């Protein structure tokens, strides 16, 4: 039976390992809240990939578009994005529209009752009474998790999707990254056994953190963490990988790693989290994908980036067939459609279409 947070207090819950929290995010064995990558297993990831491809196919015809739009007609979603976002916000909005869901949005809490002293928890609980789904981006680590925990205790809980929680996680980005890897390696043995370089600000980049947690579900993965020493992958994740027996190497020389890997995942420096402009001291140009690296990047390897990019990848590289970041963004919309359809248990209808 699923646990719905009754009989456990927040402090105890919050300290549980990710895998132990899984059942709190499900209902009747079905996905309900999407909070952290550790909640997903291989069967779920395989299913998301298969269903996303099916949905892409369905959406190619007018009849299919109308079918998808009928699936969740009458449902309402609240996009609660109180940290800057355009692409993830629009991607979720497009995903909702594809399924016939109407969206409302909160992007600026200075116009809300929080200014009257209301707690953020009360604000979100109030919103939850108007809608059927809340998609949430928040600067505070663990906020989405806390709201999911709180909503589990009320009589009309609505699903929460974490669309980015501070420096911690961005699970839907990681799902679309998995789908991109899946599509790219479909004819090359799948994701299992692939060597993956994660490059840049690995300490504060939530996309790479969530992706590492998901990739642990695949066999024979090897990671290369290419980052300035000050911004290397957090000890918590390295410890996690050691426990899971997933091999990783740390490097600060991208040029040496490029020829060895199947995927290079580039990221920008996350300087919005600087306390005193400390990342200005770092020579981040060492973590740019230079045009000359294209010559040593294996022919079937891919270059990924969650976007937005700064100068990590020169625009000239966009034309190379291994540059996957624009497709990655489009995949994001389809994966979000898939995820929402699964939350509302419409996957059966889609499979039978
Ligand atoms: C990322 C994020 O917000 O974490 N963007 C996104 O959602 N695609 C990456 C970033 O901001 O660098």
């Amino acid at each position: 039976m699923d646990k719905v947070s009754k009989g456990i207090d927040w402090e105890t819950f919050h300290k549980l390992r990710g895998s132990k929290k899984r059942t709190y995010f499900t209902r009747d064995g079905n996905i309900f809240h999407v909070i952290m990558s550790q909640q997903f297993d291989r069967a779920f990831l395989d299913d998301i990939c298969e269903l996303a491809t099916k949905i892409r196919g369905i959406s190619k015809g007018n009849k299919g578009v109308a079918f998808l739009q009928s699936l969740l007609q009458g449902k309402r979603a609240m996009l609660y994005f109180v940290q800057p976002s355009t692409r993830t916000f629009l991607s979720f909005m497009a995903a909702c529209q594809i399924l016939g869901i109407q969206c409302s949005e909160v992007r600026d809490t200075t116009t809300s009752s929080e200014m009257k002293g209301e707690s953020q928890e009360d604000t979100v609980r109030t919103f939850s009474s108007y809608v059927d789904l809340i998609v949430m981006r928040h600067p505070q680590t663990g906020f989405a998790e806390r709201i999911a925990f709180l909503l589990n205790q009320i009589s009309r809980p609505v699903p929460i999707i974490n669309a980015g929680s501070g420096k911690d996680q961005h699970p839907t980005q990681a799902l679309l990254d998995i789908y991109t890897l899946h599509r790219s390696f479909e004819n090359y043995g799948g994701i299992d056994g692939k060597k993956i370089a994660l490059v840049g600000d690995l300490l504060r980049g939530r996309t790479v953190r969530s992706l590492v947690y998901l990739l642990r579900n695949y066999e024979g993965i090897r990671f290369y963490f290419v980052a300035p020493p000050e911004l290397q992958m957090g000890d918590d994740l390295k410890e996690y990988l050691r426990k899971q027996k997933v091999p990783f190497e740390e490097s600060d020389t991208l040029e040496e790693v490029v020829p060895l890997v199947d995927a290079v995942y580039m990221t920008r420096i996350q300087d919005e989290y600087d306390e005193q402009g400390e990342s200005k001291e770092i020579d981040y140009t060492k973590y740019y994908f230079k045009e000359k690296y294209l010559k040593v990047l294996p022919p079937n390897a891919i270059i990924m980036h969650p976007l937005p990019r700064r100068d990590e990848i020169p625009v000239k590289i966009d034309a190379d067939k291994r540059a996957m970041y624009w497709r990655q963004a489009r995949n994001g919309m389809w994966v979000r459609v898939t995820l929402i359809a699964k939350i509302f248990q419409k996957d059966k209808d889609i499979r039978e279409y």
Side-chain angles (χ1 to χ4, degrees):
M1 221 184 72
D2 303 325
K3 299 171 182 160
V4 287
S5 308
K6 294 198 174 102
I8 181 168
D9 60 77
W10 164 249
E11 274 70 32
T12 314
F13 172 76
H14 189 54
K15 281 197 212 111
L16 291 175
R17 263 190 287 129
S19 56
K20 290 258 184 278
K21 289 178 183 164
R22 190 180 298 177
T23 67
Y24 293 89
F25 302 141
T26 61
R27 293 274 148 135
D28 306 323
N30 195 66
I31 176 92
F32 192 72
H33 302 298
V34 175
I35 304 297
M36 53 178 61
S37 285
Q38 300 95 305
Q39 76 184 91
F40 301 121
D41 58 17
R42 177 68 182 263
F44 183 88
L45 298 175
D46 287 347
D47 192 46
I48 285 277
C49 291
E50 192 191 317
L51 211 57
T53 297
K54 173 96 194 194
I55 290 172
R56 275 178 38 237
I58 294 174
S59 75
K60 288 196 197 323
N62 289 344
K63 247 181 72 198
V65 169
F67 161 75
L68 290 171
Q69 266 177 15
S70 73
L71 283 177
L72 291 172
Q73 218 168 42
K75 296 271 184 225
R76 288 181 302 278
M78 158 80 63
L79 306 183
Y80 183 84
F81 275 59
V82 295
Q83 202 184 19
S85 171
T86 334
R87 70 207 69 242
T88 304
F89 178 85
L90 287 177
S91 172
F92 268 109
M93 186 173 256
C96 285
Q97 287 163 350
I98 289 169
L99 289 165
I101 302 177
Q102 300 213 24
C103 294
S104 48
E105 58 185 86
V106 173
R107 310 201 64 176
D108 174 7
T109 50
T110 57
T111 59
S112 97
S113 287
E114 280 175 32
M115 294 310 281
K116 298 185 191 166
E118 184 179 53
S119 71
Q120 292 189 67
E121 283 82 355
D122 276 8
T123 305
V124 180
R125 182 166 174 178
T126 309
F127 295 159
S128 80
S129 22
Y130 310 141
V131 296
D132 306 287
L133 166 71
I134 297 178
V135 183
M136 177 178 291
R137 170 167 286 196
H138 201 279
Q140 200 178 311
T141 297
F143 186 72
E145 182 184 333
R146 183 166 164 77
I147 296 297
F149 175 86
L150 285 176
L151 291 186
N152 271 357
Q153 300 176 58
I154 67 175
S155 56
R156 187 186 169 277
V158 303
I160 299 288
I161 300 181
N162 176 5
S165 49
K167 294 178 270 189
D168 185 36
Q169 286 231 14
H170 193 351
T172 64
Q173 174 72 42
L175 288 169
L176 76 91
D177 294 337
I178 288 290
Y179 185 50
T180 304
L181 289 161
H182 163 83
R183 287 184 70 189
S184 304
F185 298 126
E186 227 165 356
N187 302 320
Y188 303 98
I191 300 177
D192 294 308
K194 294 294 179 281
K195 301 192 185 80
I196 298 176
L198 302 175
V199 186
D201 188 344
L202 307 184
L203 185 65
R204 304 177 295 183
R206 56 193 173 195
T207 66
V208 284
R209 290 176 57 82
S210 283
L211 183 57
V212 166
Y213 281 125
L214 283 192
L215 280 167
R216 136 232 54 121
N217 288 292
Y218 295 83
E219 302 294 327
I221 296 290
R222 173 175 282 275
F223 287 112
Y224 294 83
F225 296 148
V226 187
E230 306 88 319
L231 300 176
Q232 254 302 353
M233 186 57 86
D235 288 336
D236 58 338
L237 259 171
K238 288 192 283 196
E239 192 49 39
Y240 175 84
L241 290 176
R242 280 187 203 107
K243 277 206 188 110
Q244 302 281 331
K245 304 207 174 354
V246 179
F248 64 88
E249 282 173 41
E250 294 174 85
S251 163
D252 64 357
T253 319
L254 181 55
E255 189 160 15
E256 284 173 15
V257 171
V258 168
L260 310 176
V261 296
D262 301 288
V264 184
Y265 192 106
M266 302 294 297
T267 65
R268 72 175 171 90
I269 195 156
Q270 307 280 315
D271 48 13
E272 67 268 42
Y273 296 113
D274 274 6
E275 276 160 26
Q276 292 163 331
E278 60 273 23
S279 54
K280 287 199 182 64
E281 310 293 313
I282 296 170
D283 177 12
Y284 206 67
T285 58
K286 280 178 70 183
Y287 309 93
Y288 287 3
F289 195 103
K290 317 255 169 19
E291 226 186 321
K292 64 178 181 185
Y293 299 169
L294 287 175
K295 288 198 197 72
V296 292
L297 181 73
N300 296 323
I302 61 169
I303 307 168
M304 300 170 75
H305 194 303
L307 304 176
R309 77 171 146 191
R310 290 186 189 167
D311 303 308
E312 307 82 54
I313 306 178
V315 175
K316 264 191 169 165
I317 288 183
D318 295 9
D320 192 283
K321 73 169 187 26
R322 294 165 293 181
M324 213 44 73
Y325 27 96
W326 298 114
R327 279 180 62 184
Q328 205 179 335
R330 186 149 173 91
N331 285 340
M333 182 179 76
W334 297 120
V335 163
R336 289 174 175 126
V337 171
T338 310
L339 196 59
I340 295 170
K342 268 181 85 73
I343 289 171
F344 288 98
Q345 304 189 38
K346 294 294 176 189
D347 31 339
K348 189 162 170 278
D349 303 62
I350 293 168
R351 255 180 266 281
E352 284 168 2
Y353 181 82

